Amino acid sequence: MIAQTVAVALLGAVAVWFGAAVFRTSSMVRSALSLLASMAAIGGMFLAMEAEFLGVLQLMMMATEMAIMAVFMVMYMMDPGGLGQMDMSHQKRLSLASGVLAGLAALAIAFLGGWGPVAATAPDAAAQTRALGIEMMTRSLLVFETAAVTILVAMIASVAVAIARRR
Amino acid sequence: MTTLLVALAIGAVLFAIGLYGALSQTNLVMIMMGVELMLGGAMVNLVAFWRFLHPERIEGQMFVLIVMTVMAIEAAVGFGLGTARFRAKGSVEMEEAAELKG
Amino acid sequence: MTAATIVAALLAGAYVVAVLEGWATTGRFQPGAPLVAGLALLGRESVVPRRPDRLLYETAPVLLLAAAVMAAAVLPLSPELVAVDLATGALFVNAAWAYVMVALVMAGWGPNGAYAMVAGWRFLGQLIAYAMLIVMPIATVGMRAESLATTAIVSSQVGLWNAATQPIGFVLFTLAAMAVAFIPPFDLPTAPGELAGGVAAEYTGVRLAIFRLARLVLVVTLAAAVAVFFLGGWLGPWLPAWAWTGVKTLAVAAAMFAAGRFVPRLRAEHLLQWTWKLGIPLALFNIAWVGVTLWWADR
């Protein structure tokens, strides 16, 4: 139990550190890779919280997604290496205030809300994966199908929007 | 209990950083990164709630899967729009996109 | 103890694979060459290019090695010899291989060189081509085993190897595995003769030695994955279990190198065309095929 708390706290600190690093560097590739490190640490937190399937899935998906983010950054930006020290932020005070406010509100709810008794053990990883598969194919089938169709529509729509016009 | 609170606190901080980033950045891709970070914080909370409050209800994990799908959809749509904008105007700076108001 | 055995097996495998690769590319069998080349690399000066992104430049070879070793950790040498028997092992292998691409993108961006950067982004394109062909055959293998644990997957092949029951998945997975380890004809990110070594172009000395070692370990894990998922892993008569896994792994690695010797390098856009227009439909058909055969056998 102690080991779990320490692991979650440490990985969480890594996630927060790299999450903050995303907006502190001016190199685009670095900031995409910092986001990847943050997401990988979140995946590690899932593993520490015994959600093995989700943790591994998070590690796998985010590697690809963030690398693709990096390539788009390099495509779209004038200064992807961050060598010119351009400032690319605006309304700093407003964003800082809303970030702090939202964070404090969430923390207040987390610490003031009575969460009731805490479960000591979780089902083992094999049972979880099996239960998740059964859930996906029975009760949540419609939700899952909707998500799948939505992602298909998003793929087609974004390709249709982005493709060069032929004359 | 402590682990749950630690995880919730980390989720809250990640959400706050993500919100700050999404509001303060001028570039489309950086804004998307902020949104991803906010969704990451939400996922941490969801997994913590599943593990420490209802480990027997697998729907909690299902919810996280759906959030991951949302992240993928967000990336696909965002990059699609970004590419269209880049083709038309040569940049994805969002301050220049105010003309979309009409 | 188990972990130490696995590491020793990996190093031995990497050495043999290095000899095999030398044999396939130069046509000469030199059993001592990797040792000499490795010592020479360690003795050489490790030059850092001008104005690198130092953090990414230093991390990349280590991350590549870490990714390959992580993948090896869940692959069983025998029923007992597996470093971590994860319940989601087959998915974890995949997650570890995803970081191969991250490491190569880092190695491409870090040194601030044109060839390396072209090669790094090229490998990202290559990932778009091979990623689905890695995941979908693993899914069908898991379907037959009714588990994602690698040991359970091997045990499910007692009657008949997966290579026999799902030949399409076997072929697609082997080709995709070659693309992960950038073995010719899929060596776009290193592309000797075109990009002057590509992602490895700016690395010298100790860093290059780590990079090469990581690449060899990666080839071993990929060949081992083909052996475990499709060729029955440790199953076989007479020899002890670990020896069968070893023999199959090295045979797969040798076959990969031999195939690469006779085929010209695929261009990036051709690779994407072939994988998306032919490979992915075939992989989807494979999923349907395996589903129907399993249902038929279970009926």
Side-chain angles (χ1 to χ4, degrees), chain A residues 27 29-30 33 36 40 47 52-53 56-60 62-65 67-68 70-71 74 80-81 83 125-126 129-130 155, chain C residues 51 53-56 86-89 91-95 98-99 101-102 105-106 109 117 121 124 127-128 131 135 146 148 276:
Chain A
S27 160
V29 175
R30 270 198 184 197
L33 290 173
L36 168 60
L47 290 180
E52 196 180 294
F53 181 80
V56 175
L57 192 67
Q58 168 90 354
L59 284 173
M60 182 176 97
M62 292 307 148
T64 320
E65 197 171 333
I68 287 173
V71 80
V74 173
L83 300 175
T129 314
R130 189 186 155 76
M155 273 163 67
Chain C
R51 294 196 77 182
D53 191 327
R54 198 65 191 255
L55 189 66
L56 304 190
L86 278 184
T88 50
L91 193 68
F92 185 85
V93 173
N94 232 313
Y99 287 84
M101 177 274 297
V102 175
V105 167
M106 276 180 169
W109 182 261
M117 195 183 76
W121 295 130
L124 183 60
L127 172 113
I128 308 281
V135 183
E146 298 185 7
L148 285 174
W276 279 81

Side-chain angles (χ1 to χ4, degrees), chain A:
Chain A
M1 205 65 201
I2 298 286
Q4 191 182 34
T5 313
V6 171
V8 170
L10 279 182
L11 287 164
V14 173
V16 168
W17 169 265
F18 278 110
V22 172
F23 303 109
R24 287 181 54 214
T25 166
S26 48
S27 160
M28 295 301 113
V29 175
R30 270 198 184 197
S31 82
L33 290 173
S34 305
L35 187 59
L36 168 60
S38 180
M39 289 295 168
I42 290 177
M45 285 174 78
F46 292 179
L47 290 180
M49 289 192 277
E50 296 163 58
E52 196 180 294
F53 181 80
L54 291 180
V56 175
L57 192 67
Q58 168 90 354
L59 284 173
M60 182 176 97
M61 274 186 57
M62 292 307 148
T64 320
E65 197 171 333
M66 297 312 149
I68 287 173
M69 256 197 189
V71 80
F72 272 96
M73 299 271 247
V74 173
M75 264 166 68
Y76 291 153
M77 313 285 273
M78 291 153 270
D79 181 19
L83 300 175
Q85 304 295 332
M86 265 172 66
D87 182 32
M88 297 206 312
S89 54
H90 61 171
Q91 48 185 14
K92 271 218 160 126
R93 202 168 297 158
L94 169 74
S95 347
L96 204 59
S98 37
V100 169
L101 265 182
L104 285 181
L107 280 176
I109 294 171
F111 283 96
L112 299 180
W115 297 115
V118 165
T121 54
D124 69 334
Q128 273 177 41
T129 314
R130 189 186 155 76
L132 191 58
I134 302 275
E135 168 75 22
M136 201 184 279
M137 287 298 149
T138 52
R139 222 170 63 93
S140 299
L141 181 65
L142 207 58
V143 179
F144 190 62
E145 277 297 309
T146 316
V149 173
T150 314
I151 206 166
L152 182 66
V153 171
M155 273 163 67
I156 294 171
S158 56
V159 169
V161 166
I163 207 161
R165 281 208 194 89
R166 298 202 184 118
R167 301 195 184 272

Side-chain angles (χ1 to χ4, degrees), chain C residues 47-114:
Chain C
V47 185
V48 179
R50 202 159 54 90
R51 294 196 77 182
D53 191 327
R54 198 65 191 255
L55 189 66
L56 304 190
Y57 180 73
E58 303 285 3
T59 318
V62 182
L63 181 64
L64 188 61
L65 186 59
V69 172
M70 295 285 260
V74 292
L75 294 172
L77 207 53
S78 76
E80 295 81 35
L81 276 177
V82 46
V84 198
D85 194 8
L86 278 184
T88 50
L91 193 68
F92 185 85
V93 173
N94 232 313
W97 287 337
Y99 287 84
V100 170
M101 177 274 297
V102 175
L104 288 201
V105 167
M106 276 180 169
W109 182 261
N112 190 18

